[in-house]
Amino acid sequence: MSTQELDGGRQGGNETAERLLDAGETLFADFGVSGTSLRQITTEAKANLASVSYHFGSKDGLLREVLGRRINPVNEVRMRMLDALEAGDVPPTVEQILDAFLRPIFDQAPKARQTFTRLMSRLHHSPDPVAMEYLQEVLGPIAMRTLGALTRALPGVEADRIFLRAHFMIGSMLHCLSEWDPRDCVPDLPVSNLKQDQLLEELVQFSSAGFMQLVPKG
């Protein structure tokens, strides 16, 4: 089979690859990596099995591309924001550092953000070896950069506690992005005027207060 026949030309090939990525992202989020077959993905994407090999090499290659498609652009923005903060005359505050880490995620299109959040939540609960290796590769540098900035901004807080608080923040972020309105769980809550566009500000302020809490040593 020729490239032309497989892809329908360059434009058709790009469209096929995007459909495969969209289908893979949704199905991995719904059923997990091990619970999703290539046939399910290609059926959902309206593509043939050979198209996965052509575009991504394998299911593992598709998985890495599904993750990188969302994570890499976010990390690029995070790095630029941190660069700008650290280039200033005044050291960045905890709130500014957390905003630089969180805002690029919240700025993503809601539908794409929600599907990818479900995928990341599933990977946290049911880790896949290929996914976890790739996540360490792409998230490690930004994690170290952010933790380093927080450590400098919080000289009175032990590094172990900063790491643990970052872990709490990530959990809060995933929960907010996947189910932002608490009334979805408890419809009779006596609250009003909840707006999704306030989530980022509230999460940054809430997390900052936790990071800045001092704990006596010993």
Side-chain angles (χ1 to χ4, degrees):
M1 179 179 292
S2 69
T3 300
Q4 183 77 15
E5 292 171 329
L6 181 64
D7 277 2
R10 180 178 296 274
Q11 181 177 1
N14 291 340
E15 292 173 355
T16 299
E18 285 300 313
R19 291 201 307 273
L20 289 168
L21 290 168
D22 289 341
E25 183 177 63
T26 298
L27 292 170
F28 290 149
D30 288 343
F31 304 109
V33 177
S34 62
T36 300
S37 69
L38 282 181
R39 187 168 297 279
Q40 286 175 293
I41 294 171
T42 54
T43 298
E44 178 71 17
K46 296 180 173 57
N48 58 51
L49 283 171
S51 61
V52 175
S53 177
Y54 175 78
H55 288 289
F56 307 106
S58 64
K59 179 181 174 181
D60 289 346
L62 172 63
L63 174 60
R64 285 190 287 267
E65 198 67 30
V66 163
L67 296 171
R69 179 175 65 154
R70 305 295 186 202
I71 294 174
N72 291 332
V74 167
N75 280 348
E76 289 174 5
V77 178
R78 285 168 164 168
M79 287 292 193
R80 289 200 299 269
M81 292 180 72
L82 285 172
D83 286 342
L85 287 174
E86 294 178 340
D89 296 330
V90 180
T93 65
V94 172
E95 285 195 7
Q96 289 175 323
I97 296 167
L98 297 186
D99 182 81
F101 183 83
L102 295 169
R103 182 174 296 279
I105 300 174
F106 281 81
D107 283 347
Q108 287 184 316
K111 184 177 180 180
R113 185 178 66 205
Q114 289 167 3
T115 302
F116 190 71
T117 299
R118 288 194 296 109
L119 172 57
M120 291 297 289
S121 296
R122 181 173 286 278
L123 289 173
H124 274 79
H125 291 291
S126 302
D128 172 82
V130 172
M132 301 317 292
E133 180 181 7
Y134 183 76
L135 289 175
Q136 290 175 6
E137 176 186 333
V138 296
L139 293 177
I142 189 62
M144 295 305 296
R145 177 80 181 273
T146 303
L147 289 172
L150 288 169
T151 299
R152 291 187 292 274
L154 295 164
V157 181
E158 296 172 337
D160 287 351
R161 292 190 183 277
I162 292 176
F163 175 81
L164 189 59
R165 292 169 186 182
H167 184 65
F168 296 157
M169 181 188 68
I170 295 298
S172 298
M173 176 194 73
L174 290 174
H175 181 72
C176 287
L177 291 172
S178 61
E179 187 173 7
W180 75 272
D181 193 335
R183 289 170 298 192
D184 291 340
C185 296
V186 188
D188 296 327
L189 279 176
V191 294
S192 61
N193 299 320
L194 291 174
K195 295 182 180 179
Q196 190 169 9
D197 58 8
Q198 295 174 324
L199 268 180
L200 175 62
E201 179 183 353
E202 293 292 335
L203 181 57
V204 168
Q205 291 182 4
F206 178 82
S207 301
S208 295
F211 273 102
M212 291 187 288
Q213 180 66 38
L214 299 179
V215 177
K217 295 183 179 181

